[in-house]
Amino acid sequence: MGEENGKKVRRLVIKDIEKCVGCGMCMYACSRRKGEAGIDSSGILAVSLSGFERGATVIFCRACVEPPCAQVCPTGAMRPREGGGVIYHETDCIGCGNCIEACTINAIFRRRDGKPAVCIHCGYCADYCPHGVLAYEEVEPEAFRRVIV
Amino acid sequence: MLTKVLHVDLTRYRYWVEDRRDLFEEWIGGTGVAVKLMRENMDPKVDAFDEESTIVFAVGPLNAAYPLASKTVAMFKSPLTGNLGESHAGGRTSTSIANAGYGAIVIRGKSKKPVYIVIDNDRVYFRDARVLWGIEDSLIVARIIAENEGGRGTRSVMRIGGAGERLVRYACVTTETYRHFGRLGLGAVLGSKKVKAIVVMGRGSRKIKDRKAYREIYDEIFKLATESDAMKKYHLLGTAVNVKPLNEKKGLPVKNLKATSFEYAEELSGEKMAEIIGRRVACSHCPVACIHIATLRMPYENEPYFYKTLMLSYDYEPIYALGTMLGMKSREDFLKVLYKVEAYALDAMTTGVCLAWATEALERGIISEKETIVKLEFGNSDAYAEAVKYIIHQPNEFYEVLAQGVEKAAEVYGGKEFALAFGGNEMPGYHTGYAAHIGYSIGLRHSHLDNAGYSLDQKIDSYPKPEELVERLMKEEQWRQILSSLVVCFFARGIYKPDVVCRALKPVGIEIDEDGLKKMGEKIYFEKLRLKKDMGFDASKLRVPDRIFETETPHGKLDRSYMERALRYFAEVVEKV
Ligand code: SF4
Ligand code: SF4
Ligand code: SF4
Ligand code: SF4
């Protein structure tokens, strides 16, 4: 474990969630990666904690070692990825939404076309978080599971 | 390009969508498009509370595409001035509207019973709000609606409080707890239409053809926003940093502008406020996070060791209006009054100016405690908190009148000389010189942010001829019509310079050069001025309160004849439009 194709696994991680200001810069970065201005394909969501007076947080995939979302996928479009998390094959996906239901932390989002948007841990957004909440780092999957979201 | 316009008809509970590429191609978006949509959808002469009265929310080509393009323009007939109303708010308003796929939303008609409107991407729902009507705290309203509706993280909840329901003519619309369509009474217009809230959920994107160019200019703007000094002021102490220097230079309005320096300025300064910052938050898609939130810890009245902790956002403007103008001696006193103003969703600036006028009127014996019910005196926060409640509930004729603004109050009770309104809108917090005051008078939404007069005053050593000053203010405001058509945050005006704007527009499908932009700014400016004229704006009737000339500014006392010459010149410009 901890290796993917002989390399260490890198994942999007949270350094200090209490610093999140809810700006959504990360969320816009994620869709921009795909050439979109907006958030349709974003695998990360910035939310307030029942109103901004209570602060803000982000929700994204925490790279399960045994991903429930992949287990319920009827077509194999959502597949477990070695070292944790998932790989998503859009062309195999029928948009049934099972994966969206299955993720306990609600980290899969529904795009306008009904298909899922999920974080694939590419790390692009981390550079756009201005407040030190996110980072892209090498992790031990087991250690990563212990990170408090 | 965002070219769709959503129409919502409250009288018939219907909605429809039009593709208005023509409009967006000719007028960009935001302010430019809103002016045209107002023109198309409403007889300029109708009353603000009339069924036909129209509200336009508009965004522009940069919203949801670039950082700091975080504002929505609201345009409406102002119940405060009887003329064109325009106010801008951030929060998630603009990104939700843009991500839902709309360039603008037009709201017309009048509901028979209270409703709240839910715009869930391409569908619109009218929800029964009878149970919510009467909940006067706008924060509670938002919490309930947030529980009821989906779209967490992608939605904006724009709502009114008690002020809007009771048609206080300077009721605001609050969004995401801390941002406001503040000035000129949009909240009352919604209240008159029996709309408690508008929820917009948007989860979508626009496809960008030239991804590489898009990312390049995006990164350039992102770097400017996070690494250069362009946003430093807002990133650090925020606009509240102005309190101390304005006080030192004698530009800070104190106690209804009887003075411009204040012994307690230090107490209300940005530095002092920063000591109690509880957290910072940001508008959607903004790396700066300029929203400063102070914590106010208050003991229960009758129980020891019980506390409530309020989280209140502040800026320079509320500190001026509810702090220095009311002679508050501590930040806690200021925050106590701000809390009431926020809960009822009133415009902080107008409320402060109205209360300051009432206090002076009481001091002078023009009115008595029979009118004010509570003894208003500068520095007494409990009395002001009480008076805010009366503005909402209007228990007597005096508060009915005060709920219509200071211009009206002075018309009925006297004291016009010290009723600090320009064009019927209460004064912003800068007594910095001619440019500020001429700016309030001739600005197309009477905001200090339109014309930059206050910053000109601070740069200028000696004033040019009044005509020239007017020209300079108009030029700057024409450029700002572009900023508010894109729609970027005015705090980011140091980043969105003409060449950056041109390059940012290209990947989103708009080809225009700097010269073209400038001409466009001029065109929007005059189109808006024409609309104002048709709504009854008469530049020759602009009134400047005597108080302006009695109190020291950083440039000494101002001379009425300079002001009058400037206003005469502007009236001639308007005449020709
Ligand atoms: S999407 Fe949810 S269930 Fe799937 S791997 Fe990520 S966290 Fe686990
Ligand atoms: S929505 Fe697509 S990825 Fe998700 S479970 Fe269904 S087929 Fe699989
Ligand atoms: S790591 Fe990549 S996929 Fe995940 S949220 Fe960030 S940009 Fe999106
Ligand atoms: S960019 Fe950082 S601060 Fe902003 S929402 Fe994302 S995690 Fe929070």
Side-chain angles (χ1 to χ4, degrees):
Chain A
M1 291 294 245
E3 310 255 315
E4 193 180 30
N5 304 327
K7 279 186 282 166
K8 278 273 196 186
V9 180
R10 295 181 87 195
R11 292 288 180 266
L12 181 68
V13 296
I14 282 176
K15 301 305 280 181
D16 184 352
I17 195 62
E18 293 300 328
K19 288 184 177 168
C20 180
V21 299
C23 63
M25 291 297 295
C26 50
M27 183 163 75
Y28 284 90
C30 189
S31 283
R32 196 163 60 254
R33 213 170 37 101
K34 301 220 163 168
E36 294 173 20
I39 58 168
D40 199 24
S41 298
S42 298
I44 187 166
L45 183 72
V47 299
S48 70
L49 293 166
S50 61
F52 275 107
E53 69 280 12
R54 310 245 158 93
T57 194
V58 277
I59 303 170
F60 63 94
C61 166
R62 59 179 315 235
C64 300
V65 175
E66 263 181 48
C69 60
Q71 286 170 340
V72 298
C73 176
T75 66
M78 196 71 81
R79 296 175 205 162
R81 174 159 157 186
E82 220 177 305
V86 289
I87 300 167
Y88 171 59
H89 283 267
E90 191 178 327
T91 44
D92 293 335
C93 171
I94 55 172
C96 68
N98 286 356
C99 55
I100 296 171
E101 294 292 318
C103 175
T104 317
I105 61 167
N106 301 312
I108 306 184
F109 311 100
R110 199 183 280 282
R111 298 191 323 215
R112 283 291 270 273
D113 66 2
K115 289 196 177 187
V118 65
C119 169
I120 53 159
H121 291 271
C122 71
Y124 184 68
C125 59
D127 287 340
Y128 293 92
C129 173
H131 307 292
V133 179
L134 299 172
Y136 191 51
E137 288 182 347
E138 286 183 353
V139 293
E140 297 293 336
E142 287 308 315
F144 184 50
R145 290 182 60 147
R146 285 197 299 274
V147 172
I148 301 161
V149 177
Chain B
M1 228 163 116
L2 292 165
T3 57
K4 281 197 277 182
V5 177
L6 171 68
H7 291 263
V8 177
D9 174 358
L10 285 157
T11 303
R12 290 168 202 83
Y13 306 111
R14 288 182 61 231
Y15 71 94
W16 64 95
V17 177
E18 277 176 359
D19 192 338
R20 292 300 305 272
R21 181 165 288 272
D22 59 318
L23 209 59
F24 287 87
E25 271 173 2
E26 198 181 340
W27 298 91
I28 309 185
T31 296
V33 162
V35 167
K36 292 311 280 184
L37 284 171
M38 284 296 283
R39 180 65 88 184
E40 286 179 14
N41 288 283
M42 162 178 183
D43 169 359
K45 291 281 181 294
V46 300
D47 185 77
F49 294 153
D50 192 276
E51 180 170 347
E52 213 198 296
S53 174
T54 299
I55 302 169
V56 178
F57 293 99
V59 297
L62 300 192
N63 293 105
Y66 292 101
L68 285 151
S70 53
K71 298 274 167 165
T72 302
V73 169
M75 221 174 259
F76 49 97
K77 184 92 181 242
S78 166
L80 183 64
T81 64
N83 205 274
L84 184 66
E86 178 179 348
S87 68
H88 305 168
R92 268 197 219 110
T93 53
S94 77
T95 50
S96 295
I97 294 170
N99 288 334
Y102 303 114
I105 299 170
V106 178
I107 297 177
R108 301 184 65 195
K110 214 173 215 178
S111 177
K112 286 171 255 337
K113 293 274 171 82
V115 290
Y116 72 91
I117 304 171
V118 176
I119 300 167
D120 180 358
N121 294 287
D122 33 27
R123 314 217 32 180
V124 178
Y125 303 91
F126 299 93
R127 302 260 207 258
D128 182 1
R130 286 174 301 168
V131 178
L132 298 180
W133 206 255
I135 298 180
E136 293 184 324
D137 186 333
S138 81
L139 190 59
I140 309 280
V141 175
R143 281 191 192 146
I144 295 168
I145 291 176
E147 294 273 322
N148 276 355
E149 303 295 335
R152 201 175 166 219
T154 67
R155 69 186 172 201
S156 177
V157 183
M158 305 175 241
R159 69 276 188 170
I160 61 170
E165 278 189 20
R166 302 224 180 208
L167 307 183
V168 178
R169 285 165 190 259
Y170 39 98
C172 74
V173 173
T174 304
T175 181
E176 284 67 75
T177 316
Y178 296 122
R179 300 290 89 181
H180 315 86
F181 291 101
R183 310 229 69 195
L184 296 167
L186 180 61
V189 182
L190 275 186
S192 78
K193 296 188 177 306
K194 292 265 186 309
V195 174
K196 188 71 184 174
I198 303 168
V199 184
V200 183
M201 305 170 195
R203 185 168 181 110
S205 287
R206 285 109 82 195
K207 285 262 180 263
I208 304 290
K209 269 200 219 102
D210 191 346
R211 289 183 188 199
K212 194 166 154 273
Y214 174 44
R215 283 201 208 168
E216 265 169 28
I217 178 73
Y218 188 102
D219 287 347
E220 187 182 326
I221 293 167
F222 180 69
K223 276 212 173 62
L224 283 172
T226 51
E227 288 167 22
S228 77
D229 281 348
M231 300 305 294
K232 206 165 159 195
K233 170 176 172 186
Y234 308 102
H235 188 66
L236 297 176
L237 287 174
T239 53
V241 73
N242 291 341
V243 175
K244 278 205 331 205
L246 281 174
N247 184 54
E248 275 153 29
K249 287 184 215 139
K250 295 192 162 37
L252 180 73
V254 177
K255 300 183 185 171
N256 204 36
L257 198 55
K258 287 199 282 187
T260 40
S261 55
F262 188 35
E263 48 177 327
Y264 295 99
E266 180 74 37
E267 271 300 311
L268 299 168
S269 67
E271 291 79 357
K272 197 81 182 166
M273 292 298 300
E275 294 171 5
I276 54 168
I277 291 176
R279 64 167 51 94
R280 297 275 293 267
V281 293
C283 292
S284 185
H285 212 167
C286 168
V288 178
C290 81
I291 307 171
H292 294 63
I293 302 170
T295 43
L296 178 63
R297 185 165 170 261
M298 291 166 83
Y300 289 18
E301 293 79 14
N302 313 315
E303 276 179 298
Y305 308 115
F306 278 78
Y307 290 90
K308 56 181 179 181
T309 302
L310 305 174
M311 306 288 284
L312 296 158
S313 78
Y314 63 88
D315 256 306
Y316 171 69
E317 297 294 349
I319 293 179
Y320 137 74
L322 304 172
T324 63
M325 273 292 263
L326 300 183
M328 295 299 178
K329 298 190 183 80
S330 75
R331 60 190 178 200
E332 284 75 19
D333 281 315
F334 151 63
L335 286 171
K336 268 197 311 212
V337 181
L338 177 64
Y339 169 59
K340 288 283 171 218
V341 167
E342 284 283 54
Y344 292 122
L346 281 163
D347 177 48
M349 277 194 250
T350 294
T351 307
V353 171
C354 284
L355 290 174
W357 168 86
T359 310
E360 186 169 346
L362 188 64
E363 273 178 354
R364 290 171 174 241
I366 296 173
I367 51 173
S368 71
E369 270 179 70
K370 198 174 126 269
E371 276 80 34
T372 60
I373 306 174
V374 58
K375 184 163 188 245
L376 300 174
E377 45 188 2
F378 292 116
N380 184 344
S381 58
D382 290 332
Y384 288 123
E386 228 11 60
V388 170
K389 228 188 291 175
Y390 295 140
I391 290 175
I392 308 299
H393 296 143
Q394 299 154 39
N396 63 14
E397 199 194 300
F398 174 74
Y399 282 104
E400 271 169 36
V401 171
L402 200 60
Q404 298 178 48
V406 83
E407 185 79 37
K408 179 79 188 178
E411 227 171 82
V412 176
Y413 294 95
K416 272 206 168 189
E417 326 79 75
F418 55 89
L420 296 168
F422 292 83
N425 188 24
E426 286 70 9
M427 168 186 169
Y430 302 88
H431 188 52
T432 47
Y434 292 112
H437 291 297
I438 294 169
Y440 309 150
S441 305
I442 71 171
L444 292 198
R445 64 180 177 126
H446 303 293
S447 153
H448 66 291
L449 268 176
D450 272 355
N451 52 74
Y454 67 113
S455 74
L456 209 73
D457 280 331
Q458 292 173 60
K459 282 179 213 140
I460 259 173
D461 285 329
S462 66
Y463 285 99
K465 284 208 275 308
E467 294 78 11
E468 203 184 312
L469 190 63
V470 168
E471 284 293 340
R472 277 172 74 174
L473 289 169
M474 280 172 52
K475 272 249 141 37
E476 177 61 25
E477 199 178 352
Q478 286 166 8
W479 170 245
R480 294 190 184 196
Q481 302 308 309
I482 293 293
L483 298 179
S484 65
S485 295
L486 293 171
V487 179
V488 299
C489 177
F490 279 17
F491 291 164
R493 57 185 182 268
I495 293 176
Y496 285 98
K497 301 254 175 70
D499 91 289
V500 171
V501 171
C502 291
R503 282 186 294 129
L505 281 171
K506 209 166 166 214
V508 294
I510 299 173
E511 301 258 3
I512 188 164
D513 59 17
E514 290 183 35
D515 200 44
L517 268 185
K518 286 202 183 108
K519 289 207 179 91
M520 176 69 78
E522 222 179 281
K523 185 168 127 178
I524 296 170
Y525 177 91
F526 284 109
E527 191 65 19
K528 199 200 270 183
L529 196 51
R530 249 189 301 277
L531 179 60
K532 279 181 72 84
K533 257 179 99 174
D534 291 345
M535 286 183 168
F537 175 64
D538 183 351
S540 68
K541 296 224 167 72
L542 285 168
R543 177 186 81 87
V544 182
D546 292 347
R547 177 57 48 82
I548 300 304
F549 306 104
E550 293 163 3
T551 309
E552 206 73 27
T553 78
H555 294 276
K557 283 195 183 160
L558 303 181
D559 176 10
R560 194 180 261 283
S561 63
Y562 185 98
M563 267 309 258
E564 279 175 352
R565 216 173 112 186
L567 296 185
R568 252 197 322 274
Y569 178 72
F570 181 68
E572 281 164 25
V573 174
V574 178
E575 193 60 41
K576 281 185 229 132
V577 167

